[in-house]
Amino acid sequence: MASLSFLSTPSSSSLSSLHNTTPSSSRIFLRTPSLNFRASPTKLFSIKAQSAPVLTQDDLKKLAADKAVDYVKSGMVLGLGTGSTAAFVVAKLGELLKTGELTNIIGVPTSKRTEEQARSLNIPLSILDDHPHIDLAIDGADEVDPLLNLVKGRGGALLREKMVEAASDEFVVVADETKLVDGLGGSKLAMPVEELRLNLRVGEDGKPYVTDNFNYIVDLYFENPIKDGYAAGKEISGLEGVVEHGLFLDMATAVIIAGKTGVEVKSK
């Protein structure tokens, strides 16, 4: 009777190590069956242990961006967000316009950076004054809480982002799983406020950061998550010189989260 046997029996520790070594160094050798026991040469085959590819944060952002573009239909006026995740959305839109899969799209950019990228991809652009009604806005987020409230604006474009997204029938957010928080401010990273004065954010060149609207950014930090976003937003807006804050409350209609187990869509 033909039999199958390992040349050597790996220990439990060596089996687990198969997932921690490169594919080229992980081999299991199998002996072929033989019916002639007197003089039969042994043939060896090797099976390479392949480990699943590890997705980077950019990979996750691109997955979420591609899913968000599924919401886009030809003829739409689109709000084009700002930031690393939104850049993947704009790139995908440019690709679909080039292939003819989308037509008659008009984009309303939320920053000069997004405007420059969109122009380089030949995406037709307009401004909010000329297109005050927007069908769909797609943008990233710095934090997303369980109720789909957001912190946005760490990229410095929060005023234009909020204006464009407030004018949109639908606002789809794209993010990776690292942006999920139990409460806004929970990441202990900056919650930006755009204003005219006070302590200013300093750029890499040592100069205060100036937004596209020629305002300044003040970064607020919280030891504990914000319990009442609306009360906090009202309090911040009441401070002298404040133009806008980075709390985007009850604005997102859907949030697309890309994680290591796949893409999840959360909607209201």
Side-chain angles (χ1 to χ4, degrees):
M1 179 176 179
S3 64
L4 175 66
S5 62
F6 289 94
L7 287 182
S8 61
T9 303
S11 65
S12 60
S13 60
S14 63
L15 282 175
S16 63
S17 69
L18 288 176
H19 299 286
N20 299 317
T21 57
T22 59
S24 61
S25 63
S26 300
R27 297 173 183 268
I28 301 173
F29 294 99
L30 303 179
R31 180 182 296 166
T32 57
S34 174
L35 296 178
N36 184 354
F37 294 96
R38 289 178 296 174
S40 60
T42 299
K43 296 180 180 180
L44 298 179
F45 295 89
S46 65
I47 301 175
K48 295 182 179 180
Q50 299 287 349
S51 58
V54 177
L55 296 178
T56 66
Q57 191 171 19
D58 278 349
D59 291 332
L60 297 177
K61 290 177 180 180
K62 188 175 186 303
L63 284 174
D66 288 350
K67 182 66 175 178
V69 174
D70 289 344
Y71 286 76
V72 179
K73 307 299 180 186
S74 294
M76 279 187 167
V77 177
L78 299 174
L80 305 179
T82 295
S84 58
T85 308
F88 286 113
V89 174
V90 176
K92 185 66 174 182
L93 290 172
E95 177 186 323
L96 295 178
L97 283 170
K98 185 176 181 179
T99 61
E101 295 175 70
L102 284 177
T103 58
N104 301 321
I105 294 297
I106 296 176
V108 179
T110 55
S111 68
K112 291 180 179 178
R113 281 171 287 162
T114 300
E115 179 183 352
E116 291 170 358
Q117 182 192 10
R119 289 193 187 283
S120 72
L121 297 170
N122 298 313
I123 298 175
L125 298 179
S126 185
I127 59 175
L128 196 56
D129 286 346
D130 293 337
H131 285 85
H133 176 262
I134 295 174
D135 298 302
L136 169 67
I138 304 177
D139 204 352
D142 300 310
E143 293 182 3
V144 180
D145 79 2
L147 298 177
L148 308 190
N149 293 315
L150 317 169
V151 168
K152 287 178 47 57
R154 287 179 190 154
L158 65 98
L159 178 57
R160 290 194 187 186
E161 287 174 336
K162 188 169 284 189
M163 291 172 65
V164 168
E165 287 145 16
S168 302
D169 288 342
E170 291 186 274
F171 173 28
V172 174
V173 176
V174 286
D176 65 86
E177 60 188 357
T178 65
K179 302 301 192 296
L180 298 176
V181 295
D182 293 330
L184 298 183
S187 68
K188 298 189 184 301
L189 299 177
M191 199 283 284
V193 175
E194 188 162 341
E195 65 159 29
L196 304 173
R197 57 165 190 85
L198 296 178
N199 299 319
L200 308 178
R201 179 190 296 181
V202 176
E204 293 180 0
D205 57 0
K207 297 180 180 179
Y209 181 91
V210 180
T211 70
D212 289 345
N213 298 303
F214 305 104
N215 297 317
Y216 302 109
I217 294 286
V218 172
D219 291 328
L220 304 183
Y221 296 85
F222 300 89
E223 282 296 322
N224 299 300
I226 298 170
K227 293 182 178 180
D228 187 336
Y230 288 97
K234 184 177 180 180
E235 192 82 14
I236 294 168
S237 296
L239 297 174
E240 182 181 355
V242 169
V243 178
E244 191 52 86
H245 57 72
L247 295 172
F248 285 55
L249 308 174
D250 199 27
M251 292 181 64
T253 52
V255 176
I256 299 171
I257 301 292
K260 293 179 174 58
T261 59
V263 176
E264 179 185 3
V265 180
K266 298 183 178 183
S267 58
K268 293 183 178 179

